[in-house]
Amino acid sequence: VNLPDKSTEEFFVNSRHGSVGNNGFSIDRPFKTIQPALDAAVSGRRTVIHLAPGQYTESLDITKPYIHIAGYAGIHPGATRITGNGSSARATIRALASNNSTRGFGLSNLFVETGYPGTTSLSQPAIHIETDDADDNDTETELGALTPGYHWELNNVWVISDGNPTAGLLLEGGNMGISRDCVFAGCVHGIVFTYS
């Protein structure tokens, strides 16, 4: 079993007062966008990326395990929004099975939107989580190799979309996760399971 490094690395991001020249290691020197924090995270080490209230217009791919993106606790999740950059029809946040990147993945205290607000033609989910094997062709050996326990968690995440995406959250694969106190609005389907 691959356990995470017990130490926790923290990065701070502030869309209003951050700078591309900052190192993100303190609340006084935050990154301006989320992607540099994801790039700086050490694979296999628990990493918490703290987002100050504001809007983050980014489409994110999570490619490392044990990444948690969090808005500030005690503040309404609507104050911290991640909105896809609209550059392509794709999920705003994707955590895919490569490199076991959904292991320990988490979001909390956030709004997540698909594309730009008001977009009506998108059919992609706001959040796409793919676990160990999502090809719908699991063999008995593959099923026996699925990592036990919860892989991902969503806490107080509001998925709001004017674009009626196919799903607020697409879960694809055979492993488990937890969602608590989440809201899905403006979506054709709140949660869609594919071989989950």
Side-chain angles (χ1 to χ4, degrees):
V1 176
N2 292 322
L3 297 175
D5 183 322
K6 291 183 179 180
S7 61
T8 298
E9 192 167 37
E10 295 182 285
F11 292 103
F12 296 85
V13 183
N14 190 318
S15 63
R16 296 175 182 152
H17 304 293
S19 170
V20 293
N22 287 344
N23 61 21
F25 287 135
S26 73
I27 200 167
D28 298 322
R29 295 188 51 80
F31 289 125
K32 187 170 183 64
T33 60
I34 304 166
Q35 189 61 53
L38 292 173
D39 294 341
V42 175
S43 185
R45 180 179 294 170
R46 290 187 183 108
T47 301
V48 179
I49 299 171
H50 300 279
L51 304 186
Q55 179 151 324
Y56 299 85
T57 306
E58 304 180 60
S59 296
L60 304 172
D61 285 329
I62 309 302
T63 60
K64 300 168 184 173
Y66 307 107
I67 299 287
H68 192 103
I69 301 173
Y72 289 174
I75 297 177
H76 189 279
T80 310
R81 295 174 178 253
I82 301 176
T83 301
N85 63 18
S87 62
S88 61
R90 52 151 292 176
T92 299
I93 300 175
R94 294 191 298 195
L96 305 181
S98 58
N99 300 320
N100 205 19
S101 61
T102 53
R103 186 72 176 170
F105 169 66
L107 301 173
S108 59
N109 305 318
L110 301 169
F111 260 41
V112 180
E113 299 177 306
T114 302
Y116 290 114
T119 301
T120 58
S121 61
L122 292 175
S123 61
Q124 297 298 310
I127 304 168
H128 180 184
I129 298 175
E130 176 189 271
T131 58
D132 286 347
D133 194 322
D135 64 7
D136 292 348
N137 296 311
D138 287 355
T139 65
E140 198 170 313
T141 301
E142 288 174 326
L143 288 172
L146 291 176
T147 309
Y150 295 117
H151 271 224
W152 54 269
E153 62 178 320
L154 305 181
N155 296 297
N156 200 25
V157 174
W158 292 33
V159 179
I160 308 296
S161 177
D162 295 330
N164 292 321
T166 301
L169 170 61
L170 173 61
L171 301 174
E172 192 177 10
N175 275 321
M176 298 181 295
I178 294 177
S179 64
R180 299 182 186 93
D181 301 321
C182 295
V183 173
F184 300 93
C187 309
V188 175
H189 306 288
I191 303 175
V192 170
F193 300 91
T194 301
Y195 206 76
S196 297

